[in-house]
Amino acid sequence: MATNPSWVLKSYPSAMPTVENWTLEDRMVPQANDGELLVKTLWLSVDPYMRGRISPAKNYATGFKLGDLMRGGGIGEVVASESSEFRPGDIVTSDYFGWQPFSVIRAATAKTVATGEAPIQAALSYLGMPGLTAYFALLRTGRPKAGETVLISAASGAVGQIAGQVARIKGFDPVAIAGSDAKLEWCKELGYRTGINHRTSADLIADVAAACPKGVDVFIDNTAGPIHDAAMSNLNTFGRVVVVGTIALADRFDQPDIGLRHLRRTLITRARIEGFLLDDHEAEYQTAIADLLLWHRQGLLQTREDVAEGIETVPHALVRMLKGENFGKQLVKL
Amino acid sequence: MATNPSWVLKSYPSAMPTVENWTLEDRMVPQANDGELLVKTLWLSVDPYMRGRISPAKNYATGFKLGDLMRGGGIGEVVASESSEFRPGDIVTSDYFGWQPFSVIRAATAKTVATGEAPIQAALSYLGMPGLTAYFALLRTGRPKAGETVLISAASGAVGQIAGQVARIKGFDPVAIAGSDAKLEWCKELGYRTGINHRTSADLIADVAAACPKGVDVFIDNTAGPIHDAAMSNLNTFGRVVVVGTIALADRFDQPDIGLRHLRRTLITRARIEGFLLDDHEAEYQTAIADLLLWHRQGLLQTREDVAEGIETVPHALVRMLKGENFGKQLVKL
């Protein structure tokens, strides 16, 4: 029987994770029991939320314990099915793929990936969690009005790239914050009106003010940290802040986040600051996917992937994404 | 002509205001011009928002400049009217009474005070700005559901005392945070289920957890500061935080507010944190006043005033309210 090199969590990172926090164990290919599927992994997704799952702190998702097999979003081909819903050869996606070439997943977590219309890995990108997050965070929680300024952090990332383009398609005024000039250049190709490089900015508050001369109406916050402060300092009356991610805290996840508090500003602007979790919008997924597919088909939606190859690269891909070294949606191809 | 001792702002406080920040000037009784009323002041209101108006920082209301006559909520009798809307003898309220025995106000800012149903000073308390703030902050912005736990800071204050009772009347589960055991005792008489003395608590987070065993669903935040942190740490999924006031910052108003940031918690709980300004609810004032009057008439709504007497006491009354030394709605009777 083939061996199945599998990534398990070895230690909790106290700061920014390193590849040494995981170890590659040589496991056996597992067997599917009743209600399960054995899948051959084709793609794995690494996403910012995983930082929270390798922390002993309490989060919405139960975290990994030391010694646990790492799991996350993936796409694979069904090899053996103990479910009447799927058969061998089906291409499926699930949020619970192991970081391993062969994985057993519960059939209840799996969905068939439509083939033909888009490359299958789109199910991990603009037709999956990041694209849906961008769609609902912007349109349902942020709720911009026509012409309003929408500031988006991590603007070229998996969520940001879609949020910026949906904002442009819907007639809002998207402004990017990203970590390199190359990313900003691409953001402008996507339709962001302008952008700010937060790594080279000497005064982020002033630079956001200059980029958003009418102030910030909606802020899609993928980062927290100083970028959050710059947005809050430029927030308009009745501004909306959608807290989608906190990747700027990836290096100090289990420490108290001490910094500027914005309660005076919240009071004076009557801002609405709201945390976002995609699961809350499940009833509308099909509407969103139909919109995103249509826009893609019409050439209105570009996407960019950053692809690592081989099972041995998964922790490295996660770490570089947490550091912002990726350019586009970070994936691993097996 | 009678003299008219008037309080003017002498200096901006850098920390907690002191009575030395104002000076009592002997002015002449002013004259009403077209569209104005000369009123004899009967009651003045001191309110937490005034701390923001004696700061050089930018706020929603334009602040006072050094040398400006202080103005705020008041009730008075019209002495001379240059408006067809009012006549001498009318009892009126306005947010722009000078801190002086005789004041000229614009008729457009004045409203007639209904006499008979309630003592006239109720227009500065439960039938005025604080009562309406409590009503709308709780019911329109907080939007609790039946049985939900509503945590209220400054719970016996002008806003808190009404918010707690409306919460009880509407079938929510109100919990008080206040600054003395006497205040908490009275909060329980009002119908708060239980309460926490934040001045004697050794562990505010744990004490809020003990007082709110099902967690905090809605937090009416009249204070900011460490009380805010204790509430956030106990906030339930889909919790709502209404930022009504920031009186805990009164002693450090022009300095950056550095402290715990709650973006991870906001994300994980999908909390909604929203700034509140009463003006946004003007279209519904009459509905709210009718409800508050009815509840008062039915004996469901108690109120408590803390009354200073004489024009010379106004700054002192403001400072003691900012320090939390008042017990109930702080007023000055002339």
Side-chain angles (χ1 to χ4, degrees):
Chain A
M1 200 171 207
T3 59
N4 194 30
S6 303
W7 285 106
V8 303
L9 185 64
K10 194 168 69 178
S11 57
Y12 290 120
S14 62
M16 183 61 80
T18 67
V19 292
E20 282 72 39
N21 292 123
W22 293 273
T23 186
L24 193 59
E25 284 188 3
D26 204 11
R27 295 196 173 185
M28 301 296 284
V29 173
Q31 277 209 309
N33 293 316
D34 193 39
E36 294 180 337
L37 309 174
L38 173 65
V39 290
K40 179 172 186 291
T41 308
L42 302 173
W43 293 88
L44 288 171
S45 179
V46 289
D47 296 280
Y49 78 85
M50 289 175 169
R51 179 62 185 89
R53 300 201 63 195
I54 53 171
S55 155
K58 194 182 160 192
N59 277 293
Y60 32 60
T62 307
F64 296 107
K65 294 189 196 68
L66 300 183
D68 275 359
L69 171 68
M70 288 293 296
R71 289 184 179 271
I75 293 172
E77 182 182 338
V78 176
V79 175
S81 171
E82 296 296 330
S83 156
S84 58
E85 307 278 314
F86 299 95
R87 56 179 61 188
D90 285 353
I91 304 296
V92 296
T93 184
S94 161
D95 294 332
Y96 300 95
F97 271 66
W99 285 10
Q100 53 190 175
F102 290 92
S103 185
V104 162
I105 59 175
R106 288 191 302 114
T109 73
K111 276 181 287 198
T112 303
V113 174
T115 51
E117 283 236 70
I120 60 169
Q121 71 272 26
L124 299 175
S125 172
Y126 72 96
L127 298 181
M129 191 263 281
L132 293 169
T133 295
Y135 182 98
F136 293 114
L138 179 73
L139 299 179
R140 293 293 178 273
T141 309
R143 299 198 288 275
K145 299 182 193 83
E148 282 193 335
T149 300
V150 178
L151 183 68
I152 300 172
S153 60
S156 69
V159 172
Q161 62 179 254
I162 305 300
Q165 294 179 93
V166 173
R168 185 247 306 146
I169 291 167
K170 289 284 187 181
F172 316 138
D173 176 35
V175 174
I177 300 182
S180 79
D181 290 346
K183 289 177 180 177
L184 284 177
E185 202 144 314
W186 186 62
C187 284
K188 284 180 198 166
E189 285 176 36
L190 296 182
Y192 281 97
R193 175 173 51 77
T194 185
I196 301 138
N197 181 339
H198 68 88
R199 290 191 201 273
T200 57
S201 168
D203 184 343
L204 205 51
I205 294 176
D207 287 348
V208 169
C212 306
K214 291 188 277 182
V216 174
D217 297 301
V218 172
F219 175 42
I220 304 296
D221 188 358
N222 291 309
T223 61
I227 292 171
H228 179 83
D229 299 335
M232 287 301 298
S233 300
N234 286 286
L235 199 67
N236 282 338
T237 299
F238 298 118
R240 287 129 278 162
V241 175
V242 190
V243 181
V244 176
T246 59
I247 200 167
L249 308 178
D251 62 345
R252 49 203 160 95
F253 215 82
D254 302 313
Q255 300 148 39
D257 177 26
I258 306 289
L260 257 181
R261 293 144 65 101
H262 301 280
L263 287 165
R264 284 293 304 165
R265 183 102 201 150
T266 302
L267 180 64
I268 291 164
T269 58
R270 291 94 97 190
R272 170 165 60 82
I273 299 152
E274 205 162 339
F276 180 89
L277 184 70
L278 179 58
D279 300 11
D280 300 329
H281 299 269
E282 203 171 348
E284 281 197 279
Y285 282 179
Q286 290 316 312
T287 310
I289 288 172
D291 278 351
L292 291 164
L293 253 182
L294 177 69
W295 294 328
H296 195 263
R297 202 182 297 139
Q298 293 174 331
L300 297 174
L301 211 58
Q302 300 174 52
T303 61
R304 185 171 182 132
E305 295 164 357
D306 192 329
V307 179
E309 301 216 11
I311 189 67
E312 65 281 3
T313 67
V314 190
H316 179 70
L318 174 58
V319 170
R320 70 191 293 266
M321 186 272 300
L322 291 175
K323 290 180 175 173
E325 293 168 3
N326 62 310
F327 189 168
K329 168 59 191 159
Q330 182 70 58
L331 294 168
V332 179
K333 187 177 184 179
L334 263 68
Chain B
M1 200 171 206
T3 59
N4 195 29
S6 303
W7 285 105
V8 302
L9 186 64
K10 193 169 69 179
S11 57
Y12 291 119
S14 61
M16 183 61 82
T18 68
V19 293
E20 282 71 38
N21 292 122
W22 294 272
T23 186
L24 193 59
E25 284 187 2
D26 204 10
R27 294 197 173 184
M28 301 296 285
V29 173
Q31 278 208 311
N33 293 317
D34 193 38
E36 293 180 338
L37 310 174
L38 174 64
V39 289
K40 179 173 187 292
T41 308
L42 302 173
W43 293 89
L44 288 171
S45 179
V46 290
D47 296 280
Y49 78 87
M50 290 175 169
R51 180 61 185 88
R53 300 202 64 194
I54 54 172
S55 156
K58 194 181 158 193
N59 278 293
Y60 33 60
T62 307
F64 296 107
K65 294 188 194 68
L66 300 184
D68 276 359
L69 172 66
M70 287 293 296
R71 289 184 179 273
I75 292 170
E77 181 182 339
V78 176
V79 174
S81 171
E82 297 297 330
S83 155
S84 59
E85 307 279 313
F86 299 96
R87 56 179 60 188
D90 284 354
I91 304 296
V92 296
T93 184
S94 161
D95 294 332
Y96 299 95
F97 271 67
W99 285 9
Q100 53 189 175
F102 289 92
S103 185
V104 163
I105 59 175
R106 288 190 301 115
T109 72
K111 277 181 286 197
T112 302
V113 175
T115 50
E117 283 237 68
I120 60 169
Q121 71 273 25
L124 300 176
S125 172
Y126 71 96
L127 298 180
M129 192 263 281
L132 294 169
T133 295
Y135 183 97
F136 293 114
L138 180 71
L139 300 179
R140 294 294 178 271
T141 308
R143 300 198 289 274
K145 300 183 192 81
E148 282 193 335
T149 300
V150 178
L151 183 67
I152 300 172
S153 61
S156 70
V159 172
Q161 62 180 252
I162 305 301
Q165 293 179 93
V166 174
R168 186 248 306 145
I169 291 166
K170 289 284 187 180
F172 315 137
D173 177 35
V175 174
I177 299 182
S180 79
D181 290 346
K183 289 177 180 178
L184 284 178
E185 202 143 315
W186 186 60
C187 283
K188 286 181 196 166
E189 285 176 35
L190 297 181
Y192 282 97
R193 175 173 51 78
T194 185
I196 301 138
N197 181 339
H198 67 89
R199 292 192 201 274
T200 57
S201 168
D203 184 342
L204 205 50
I205 293 176
D207 286 348
V208 170
C212 305
K214 290 187 277 180
V216 174
D217 296 301
V218 172
F219 174 42
I220 304 295
D221 187 359
N222 290 308
T223 61
I227 292 172
H228 179 84
D229 299 336
M232 287 302 296
S233 300
N234 286 286
L235 200 66
N236 282 340
T237 299
F238 298 117
R240 287 128 279 163
V241 175
V242 190
V243 182
V244 177
T246 59
I247 200 166
L249 308 178
D251 61 345
R252 49 203 161 96
F253 216 81
D254 303 313
Q255 299 147 40
D257 177 26
I258 305 289
L260 257 182
R261 295 144 64 100
H262 300 281
L263 287 165
R264 284 292 305 163
R265 183 103 201 150
T266 302
L267 179 65
I268 292 165
T269 57
R270 292 95 95 190
R272 171 165 59 82
I273 299 153
E274 204 163 338
F276 180 88
L277 184 69
L278 180 58
D279 300 11
D280 300 329
H281 299 268
E282 202 170 349
E284 280 197 281
Y285 283 178
Q286 290 317 311
T287 310
I289 288 173
D291 277 350
L292 291 164
L293 253 181
L294 177 69
W295 293 329
H296 195 263
R297 203 182 296 139
Q298 293 173 330
L300 297 174
L301 211 58
Q302 299 176 51
T303 62
R304 184 169 184 136
E305 295 163 358
D306 193 329
V307 179
E309 300 216 10
I311 189 66
E312 65 282 0
T313 67
V314 189
H316 178 72
L318 175 57
V319 171
R320 70 191 292 266
M321 186 272 300
L322 292 175
K323 290 181 174 172
E325 293 169 0
N326 61 311
F327 189 167
K329 167 61 192 158
Q330 183 69 58
L331 294 168
V332 179
K333 186 177 185 179
L334 263 69

